[in-house]
Amino acid sequence: MAIQVGDRLPNATFMTMTADGPKPQTTDDIFKGKKVVLFAVPGAFTPTCHKNHMPGFVQNFDQIKGKGIDAVAVTAVNDVFVMDAWGKSAGVGDKILMLADGNGEYAKALGLELDARGFGMGTRGQRFAIIVQDGVAKHVNVEAPGQFKVSAVEHVLGQLG
């Protein structure tokens, strides 16, 4: 069953790139005691993800932070090297935390996996945005197939008030 408002996000360990190379980062590291916007894309560098989804969060980062958000993070079923390259290409700097869900385990734990075999992409995660407070989902926005509306930064900003 997919994550719902009021649910605690499942525990997991992501890989992130640091100056010293790939390092694990747990959900406690990311969410405990913080208000976080977590968004997900089916794949780094894919058209909607690269041209619309990520740029919206990068361009509106200061506005998001101004609404009381401690961190903005993105996850995708890609390895840490791809996520790092995508972050650099998208100019995220230190604004967006790039969380690699290389085996799709987190997408599955959230109940938001996506069968993208028809596109030659295997199992991926659905496009979504979740507003998380101290590890609990306060808003869960999962896109309908082929859509890009409720996980867009404009919608998320509206939920932040």
Side-chain angles (χ1 to χ4, degrees), residues 2-149:
I3 188 151
Q4 302 289 317
V5 170
D7 289 350
R8 179 159 292 284
L9 272 69
N11 291 325
T13 300
F14 296 98
M15 292 303 291
T16 59
M17 189 58 75
T18 71
D20 298 322
K23 299 286 184 211
Q25 193 160 20
T26 68
T27 46
D28 275 353
D29 297 333
I30 300 161
F31 301 120
K32 191 171 185 177
K34 299 174 191 164
K35 192 169 184 183
V36 178
V37 172
L38 172 67
F39 69 102
V41 297
F45 294 108
T46 57
T48 300
C49 309
H50 188 64
K51 294 177 184 171
N52 302 104
H53 210 170
M54 177 67 84
F57 282 94
V58 172
Q59 292 163 4
N60 290 281
F61 178 77
D62 292 335
Q63 192 175 355
I64 295 166
K65 292 286 281 190
K67 303 268 186 180
I69 295 298
D70 297 301
V72 178
V74 63
T75 185
V77 180
N78 289 113
D79 65 64
V80 68
F81 302 102
V82 169
M83 291 297 284
D84 183 53
W86 185 38
K88 288 175 181 171
S89 174
V92 304
D94 61 359
K95 294 179 179 179
I96 312 290
L97 182 59
M98 306 296 290
L99 304 174
D101 181 20
N103 295 321
E105 293 166 355
Y106 202 64
K108 185 174 183 174
L110 290 170
L112 296 175
E113 65 270 32
L114 170 70
D115 181 354
R117 289 178 296 175
F119 302 102
M121 296 171 64
T123 300
R124 297 291 178 130
Q126 293 182 48
R127 183 182 309 282
F128 67 79
I130 301 174
I131 299 171
V132 184
Q133 188 162 357
D134 195 21
V136 176
K138 295 299 180 183
H139 294 274
V140 177
N141 308 301
V142 180
E143 294 290 357
Q147 295 295 305
F148 176 57
K149 295 177 183 170

